[in-house]
Amino acid sequence: MSHPSDATLGQSSYPRLTRSLSAVESWGFGLTAHISWTALVPAIHAALGSQAIFVWIPAVIFGMLLNYQVKRLGMHFLNVAGGTPNYATKLLQNYPELARYAAIGYLLNWVSYLAVNTIVLRDLIKVNLEALGIACPDIFLDIGFTLLPFIVAFSGTRALSILHLFFVIPAFGLLITFCVQGLGWLAFSPVSPGFFPSNWSSLGFVDWAKWFFFVTYATYSCETASSFVADSRHPTQTLRFLDVAAWMMPPIFLGGSWVVMRLATDPNLQDNAFMNLVAASQPFWGKSAAVSVSFLLVASCLLGSATVVSNCPRILYQLTLDKHISPVFSVVSRRGVFVPALTLTLMLCLVYLIWGDVARIVAVGNIGWFVCFMLFHLGLWLRRDRPEVLFPRISLGILLLEVVVLVVGGLAWGWLNLLIGLLFPVGVMGIDAVIRRVPFAPFHRSWWMRRYRTRPVVIIKDSVILQVSILIFLLCSAVGVGWLFGVKLYKVETAAGENLFVVLLMSVAFVGVAIACWTSLPQVVAIAEAREAAEHLFTVAQDGILVVDARGIIQQANPATESFFGVNPSELLGNHLNKWLPALVYYPDQWTKRSEQALLRNRKNQILEVSISDRPHQNFQEYVVILHDITQRKQAEEILRHSEAQLRQEAKHLASQLVHSEKMSSLGQLVAGVAHEINNPVNFIYGNITFANQYIQDILSLLQLYQQNYPNPVTEIQKETEAIDLNFVMADLPNLLTSMTVGAERITEIVLSLRNFSRLDEAEMKAVNIHEGIDSTLMILEHRLKPKSNYLGIEVIKEYGDLPLVECYAGQLNQVFMNLLANAIDAIEESLVISHPSLVQDRGQIRIHTKLTSEKQVVIRIADNGLGIPENVQKQLFEPFFTTKPIGKGTGLGLSISYQIITQKHQGKLQCISAVGQGTEFVIVIPLNQQTI
């Protein structure tokens, strides 16, 4: 159940995401999962040792296949935000509850990632602060690191993406260096313990399933860049990065894990991420290992949190567009802020934080995540016949393996965690149901839209005072905290101080961006947007806009000026405007503020209205000149002066048209009467030919018996036989009767066509067979389709669709068919005989295509391969009395009448599609039923 105010909203009414991100910015989000490897690798290697590599290998292979599949789906859904979970809902659109469950499960895992990052950062800082003798309550650190990415996210998408990109590049570079340098050191260093271990420990299936379930937390999330396809200015480039992300998985997940496995072998390290990575990197990084590892861990946490607050709102936004959750989550501000979606993400993160146990958060969050990918692979199998699905059989195999892993590995992490993880998405679905039903204003999308459209009641006239005050407060606070840390670090110089410095450095960077986002950055963005808007208006304006200096020399010109002067705008620069408009004097201050100037171009006179700004710019002494083409207006004024005589002439033509229509109506009645009168004797002849044929066959048989039994008749009979050439008569008489039969059938067909065509005077609407009307018209025109001495005739290709009976004015519709087909024949004859006499052996062609659309619209296309119609002629085709035929060959009323019959009588459309040298196609579209008429 949705709110009444939101019930009528369709997907098209939701705000679309602004494509504001560059491809490089969207790529940065696609590297977050690779860096998160630093937090996962110690735990699995502490538990499995060298056997961990056998968990990483299949997980990496499946992750790479997933990237390629997500890329293919993204190419098919270029406007879908949120990436994998929302592709899953598309694949499972026939199972909406499963689709919603899968997407929410995916979302909850990303939210858990933010909570885990906060706890890891809090513990890291707390340990280092305790080494310095500083005590800090957990709640302040939890709140601070949780809110930090949200503060930036609530200020806009671009700031967060740029901040993320700024740190992800050095962090990823450092991680690649760790993997490559570590492998090289293992392979070539003389003090290396050896590239391969001397022995391998055993690995049971339960342990394998438990840890495979664990590492998919990273290997399945390397497709994150796809979440930002709808925001990207170059969506295909964003998706192509998934290939790069896939091939970065082996060197990091496999190479890095191998380095940790071989070099972090001290059992006292346990599963501590910092100690394991320092131990693994110290042999080749030396003293810089601790600081580098601290940077990697802090970058992993902060960048992961930034990705969460960027990714989760897009998942919720797309779920709303697909009508899976409440419409309120589609709300997005002009700057790309998803306020309701970010609020829900924050609330869910706080639930995880209250729980407080990292291992349990990861286990529970990973349940919904893993189920999402199971359902994703199920959707791929169900849609295996679709072109956007790759490796459907492999997807089925992965699905079956994932089912086993979920049961075995999930239970290995604890049955209670498995149960909570399975029920958590259901709980969020329940929250969504409450939001849909509770009549609380912020739960309504319309409430948010009104706030975005309404100007604030309190307007701060001098916002600079407020911004500077906030900036001073935050900077003073930062300096105070920095001074405190400096005092402590000066007294106690330890490794903890260096590590804390790394945390402080990145935290201050995030805080600094947050300060900018809430102070000066909105003003900078507003200025940039205003500049872009002005440049856009300058570029797209239909009127010519020039900037001239105090001497009238052109300094700037917009693209529209090319249509006025016929030269590239760049060629105008440096020239005086009176070079094209001679009536203008030299100095602009002497120009009339608004005047009409004549421009001679291509031997055609154009009249331009020239407007000049009142005063020059204070500093640059420039004038803005606007050129508006009023040639048509002047021509219209001239036409109006002669309109009375023209109207009289048109009245005469209209009178002749009424006479013509009356004649057509009378002709219809005459044709119907003649057809009726002809039909009776033709039926009499056609019906008796069969009997006459039988009688003649009997007589011929009798004559043959006489010839057989009396081979020598009397002389008189012999002479008469020779005189009438009896043998020829006996042989030709059946042929004669057959010819008479064909002729009678032909007359019957013509009569039927005349009866169908004679519906011209019918005023009532009825359901008729459209194809019969077309065939009847073709029958009447058949003499014009036959070959002539100067060309091979015209071939008619019928591509009739399966049409039911169509409600229409049958006679009037037949008149339209007659006009269009006759024009097509005229065009082909002109093309084959007159315009191209050397091609007289070519065969003309008329193609008639009919179909019924899903919107119950009947479409009739009549196309010919004639010369085509020039574009300037097409604009006047349906105007009364317009004709391109010689005097006496056409009245110019056929297409005009046809247009009125289709558009006014049948509430349809008549369109001409043509290009010179490529033929002409007329498209008729009328509704199947005319109840509204």
Side-chain angles (χ1 to χ4, degrees), residues 86-108:
N86 299 104
Y87 299 156
T89 61
K90 300 290 185 182
L91 295 171
L92 296 169
Q93 59 183 355
N94 294 330
Y95 308 93
E97 295 302 322
L98 279 180
R100 185 184 302 124
Y101 182 92
I104 293 176
Y106 184 102
L107 171 83
L108 289 173

Side-chain angles (χ1 to χ4, degrees), residues 730-742:
M730 293 174 65
D732 192 54
L733 190 55
N735 296 335
L736 181 63
L737 290 172
T738 301
S739 178
M740 294 173 63
T741 302
V742 172

Side-chain angles (χ1 to χ4, degrees), residues 2 49 95 125 182 245 305 385 569 660 666 722 767 802 817 839:
S2 60
Y95 308 93
I125 293 179
S305 298
D385 57 334
H660 173 72
S666 301
E722 293 174 358
D802 186 13
F817 295 151
L839 303 178

